[in-house]
């Protein structure tokens, strides 16, 4: 009754900075691409404010990771790292990107403030853009047909960005993608000079996997409810105990 | 990778009083039975404290509804209506029932206190029982093999029992079952003398359906996360806007 | 001791789009006007981004509804539909409107993000404006005397905009206004082409009424506590069970 | 439409220990009695576990305070101080008291755990008892007609027992009762030997009064929504700023 | 292992308006200065919107209080009272101030909206600025070396700005500073004409002190966890009961 | 002003089952013992319900771990594994243990329900017992002088038992204890046959350490606020970014 389109999915993942997508949901994207879906990356700054890596280096690292993933990548101009504001203009820039890519699945950062102020701002911009993308009367977007995404999920870039820990989440088994996920993350060499970011992410994925009985897992937080006709349509519950 | 068993499911639904299951998740059970699954009902009192209907009448109404649904029904002795306590004994009675029925899917009331104090107590007993059912060392249950349910969902008997309204829920399209669901509820004739319970439930189901684009829907609240390998495995998101 | 002014009240209701007020609190306004109070409507856009209806049509529908309600209506310029930002300028535009109308009761949308991003923004602007309206030193508003509202209530435009469901609310019995409320909503004919908005609202009102023992009710969420000298001064509690 | 009964109200206030009522809502009760209502006190232990004061002394202090307030007082046997359990029996003991007194207004402690474990237990017992009091089929209570209270409010015995500080509350102006309220509290002389309980309560009442523009106020937390026909029926909002 | 620097601390306290710091954490600053630390005040407006006091009077009152405290004071230009927006520019202005002062301890207002809209905005700006101050790549701040604060605490300017009341807080015993704290607050004479602000703050401090067994206390809300090697390193728990 | 006693501390840690303490706060206890403090373990069942290990084996594993830690160990009779109820009797049994041991620091499980129903029950019993231990009038405990603990902290046995993830916690650096902590956990050999419990705990500790800049950390959740005279008395904030 309510099947996902049989054909392969198009995913659009948004990140505030050049490495956010790979760290936050790289394993998920690898699993989807391995399953035949198309992944598109949209990066909202070039990491201009970071202590390590020039904007050019950051962009080039992101392009390398996208190539490894087999995904197209786009850089949007929203004001620049640490300068991204919650504005009507920025909502519309992201809404235009959604209309252009026309994704089935939209992935964006969670809105819980963590170490970098841009994360929560980009999260809210994405929530707004996913609405605006389907409104028929927006004059700035007139040249692109309205588009309604099928699914909107959020990913947590850091432990500090995770939603309240009693909320439902989708756990995605990324065990088969583990090695390539580490490679994706290691593309961002400038960011690994002073921080254990790769180990931070793999420890998260291992801990989540241990709680659900797989090797490694990453979490997606659904923005909307799911609608079913029949319980047989559901995937497995995480219920080890 | 993580398919639900291909074969038909066994569902066990628990209610505190003779009409709770039909009112709270009757449409869902009808949909499952229509799909070939087996539903089993477990009622924890005979409504002895109610202002309308004798215990015998209440039991007989519940048996009539179960027959209409095509489900076996069991009455458990947990102390009686308004006398159900959170006790080790009651946890074990319900755990024994789980081991006996060996359900794939377990349905129980939500834990948010509403008009009747028994609802939240039975909710907690069910959460405990679902754990105890799988522990190997419980001497009282030794004669029955441990059993691990696949899914645990909760249903809200009244609007006041609904979990916080920002939590994820599964919406089940019960449009095709609507007429028979009303019949199920109307089996509980003694309860309909002084309250508009049927209209209360159909208004809830219509309102939920209006928000998800179907005629009528009932909500299930998952106790656990879901685990997937691939987003294509997911049912549709509720995303009308 | 703390009576509301014996004389009739002036109410100011703010909506982000031309139909928000009628859908979210139209029954309440009808009840107040029927009781002799004066209602004033303030609309913050002309629905320019909507898929159905031109801005002129939207404005004309709102004016028709206002006439039916017997209320004056004002359109404010805050950037336009989907372009309303949380800015000092917009706070002041709304504060000026409050000083101009000098309402006893101020009604504005709830701040929980729902389908349209403007709703939560206008909610915050209204909260700010209600404060600014009473500060004596704002040079932009110097020509209008400061004004302190007596009551600030919020209304939820959609189920998704309702505050956490364990919060206190005022339920207003709108049974006597039901027919005229439907007429008010039906003034917004362009919005009813593709969505069951009227039935969405009447199902909400019927469900709320069923929980409080009246035909139809709408909810208001108080921003502030209430202060009494004596419990006899209180209206009835909703306590059916 | 929904007036409180014109005639004077009957209030029933429940406390876990001999001094809880006076400390937690003594000013409110004084205001009600001053307005012609009847107050009844129900105390669930004799403070047997306290470090100061014998049970006889504690009971005698409570009787002295009740006399000063002009209220009847009853001591219930629920197991004794620090021995009060959440049990069906205790629910019924309190429900019987409600049926006996037949109050319009029921006052009980909040359920947030604070320094004394009995407070939250008695809170839950009272919530249950207020339901059970109106069920027609409870055989233990057959000799007393079911009774439905009109209002259920909770009071916070200590700052630590206050509900989440973003919840709505009724603020009751007790300025006119202040002196007599202090006298009521001072009846509990054994409890004042080692703690500044009176100053703790008067500092709370002064702080609350300062936020609402009166001398002294105490807070009541409504268990249910309020239902109105008309906003003119409402008491004043607390809105100083 | 993780000692605070043995040498005296530098504190930077930020307030939205000229009196916020003294009212919200004046006692804490007095205690720190008395202990040999250096306090620096940063005020984000001159109270231009207030009903009482001209901007010049307000600035002069703040300078008088700073002198009494023995603290340097700085006025920042963020748009003016009631005009402070959440913007990249304002984040950077505050981040520059942090780099200039290089504090060990950073004190800023809590983010819970209360009577004045500026409070929550300045709170968020400070959270952002504390992050930006340590990013190496921000071109606007290139002339000042990045700075990482050691501690970030928030203070609540009013009872309405206090975080959820079940959250952990640091209570600071300010009994020895009480008299001088009142003097600090009384420097803001224009603000005391129409409101009991001093009594509001002293009642809060007395109430908090009564719950922790000291004369007067003020609360700080830590933004981050604390890290210890050993429990012996911890200060006393507030545990009177 | 408020120093912890200079002399070594006595810690009392309570666990529902024979391995809970070692898994949940074993590293913390090792650090304390290494610092010269005395640790006492109190186990509330012998794991009778577990699928692996007999009660005798479980007790013997716990005694082995206690010996390795250098701690005395006590087994309490509260009804047995899966039979521990929230009762006045059980509150008193634990209160007696507190009076007997007279700890400075009390460690107990968090109250968030996770896989095993006993955990939340024992958590609540411990909260109650810590109160009852200091009440002077409890006749059952008359032979032991009342005792007031200095600190009460909770530990989370599993990720599912962790409090809301936005709450403050104390992070304890257990890097120096890591190897011995693994040895402690491995004493519980029967529990490691079918589950990766040791890796679950070490992955948690590594992840927490990565967020605070140490090798391994365990979290303690304070039940009460902390009281200080001076910020210099505070340990380091976790503030990597």
């Amino acid at each position: 009754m309510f099947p996902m389109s049989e054909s392969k999915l198009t995913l659009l993942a948004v990140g505030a900075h050049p490495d956010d997508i790979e760290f936050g949901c790289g394993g998920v994207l690898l699993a989807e691409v391995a399953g035949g879906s198309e992944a598109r990356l949209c990066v909202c700054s070039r990491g201009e404010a970071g202590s390590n890596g020039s904007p050019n280096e950051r962009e080039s690292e992101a392009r390398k990771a996208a190539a490894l993933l087999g995904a197209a990548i786009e850089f949007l101009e929203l004001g620049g790292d640490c300068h991204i504001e919650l504005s009507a203009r920025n909502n519309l820039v992201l809404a235009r990107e959604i209309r252009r890519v026309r994704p089935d699945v939209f992935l964006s950062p969670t809105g819980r403030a963590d170490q970098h102020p841009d994360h929560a701002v980009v999260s809210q911009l994405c929530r707004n853009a996913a609405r605006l993308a389907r409104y028929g009367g927006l004059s700035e977007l007139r040249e692109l047909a309205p588009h309604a995404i099928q699914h909107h999920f959020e990913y947590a870039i850091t432990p500090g960005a995770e939603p309240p820990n009693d909320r439902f989440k989708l756990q995605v088994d990324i065990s088969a993608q583990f090695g390539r996920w580490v490679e994706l993350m290691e593309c961002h060499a400038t960011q690994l000079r002073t921080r254990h970011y790769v180990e931070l992410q793999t420890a998260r994925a291992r801990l989540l996997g241990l709680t659900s009985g797989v090797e490694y897992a990453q979490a997606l937080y659904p923005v909307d409810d799911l609608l079913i006709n029949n319980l047989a349509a559901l995937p497995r519950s995480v219920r080890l105990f």
Side-chain angles (χ1 to χ4, degrees), chain A:
Chain A
M1 278 297 180
F2 308 124
M4 291 281 291
S5 53
E6 292 289 317
S7 55
K8 299 310 181 183
L9 302 171
T10 298
L11 293 93
L12 175 61
V14 176
H17 308 112
D19 52 352
D20 290 351
I21 296 171
E22 288 83 353
F23 283 112
C25 62
V28 174
L29 291 176
L30 282 163
E32 293 304 306
V33 169
S37 288
E38 181 190 1
R40 307 283 291 263
L41 312 186
C42 168
V43 179
C44 299
S45 78
R46 300 201 308 153
E48 298 87 347
S51 302
N52 294 301
S54 70
N56 282 346
E57 284 174 299
R58 302 293 303 276
E59 179 177 335
S60 134
E61 291 171 347
R63 292 194 180 279
K64 192 173 144 199
L68 197 59
L69 171 61
I73 186 170
E74 198 80 23
F75 286 80
L76 295 187
E77 174 50 60
L78 299 181
D81 187 2
C82 289
H83 296 73
I84 307 181
E85 295 182 346
L86 196 54
S87 68
R89 182 216 170 254
N90 283 348
N91 284 334
L92 286 163
V93 170
L94 277 158
R96 177 176 295 116
E97 184 68 8
I98 293 173
R99 287 200 184 178
R100 211 178 53 78
V101 172
R102 311 189 80 70
D104 303 296
V105 179
F106 185 50
L107 300 174
S108 61
T110 57
R112 187 171 161 217
D114 70 344
Q115 66 198 62
H116 200 306
D118 288 344
H119 296 165
V121 173
V122 169
S123 176
Q124 187 60 53
L125 291 174
C126 285
R127 288 200 168 207
N128 293 346
R131 304 292 179 187
L132 270 52
R134 62 170 299 290
Y135 293 159
L138 283 161
S139 55
E140 296 94 332
L141 304 183
R142 200 169 291 153
E143 76 281 9
L144 291 163
H147 177 73
I149 58 177
Q150 284 185 43
H151 285 297
H152 186 180
F153 301 122
E154 295 181 335
Y155 64 89
I157 303 175
T158 61
E162 290 170 7
N165 53 357
D166 60 350
R167 302 303 162 89
F168 175 85
K169 53 190 179 298
L170 287 173
Q171 300 194 17
V172 186
D173 180 1
I174 61 161
S175 308
Q177 281 72 40
F178 184 73
R180 297 199 63 209
W181 177 42
V182 172
E183 284 178 64
L184 274 194
M185 292 190 284
E186 287 176 344
C187 291
H188 297 280
T190 59
Q191 303 308 296
L192 308 181
R193 283 179 205 153
T194 52
R195 302 277 178 198
H196 302 291
Y197 284 129
V198 172
E199 192 185 359
L200 180 74
Q201 299 298 346
T202 57
R204 280 175 85 197
R206 179 63 185 132
L207 183 56
L208 193 62
L210 279 161
T211 67
S212 53
V214 301
E215 284 287 310
Y216 294 96
Q218 281 192 304
L220 295 181
Y221 302 89
V223 173
D224 305 295
D225 290 343
L226 294 178
L227 177 65
I228 56 174
N229 264 328
N230 215 279
L231 292 171
L234 276 186
R236 200 176 83 176
S237 281
V238 170
R239 195 168 177 89
L240 276 193
F241 302 98

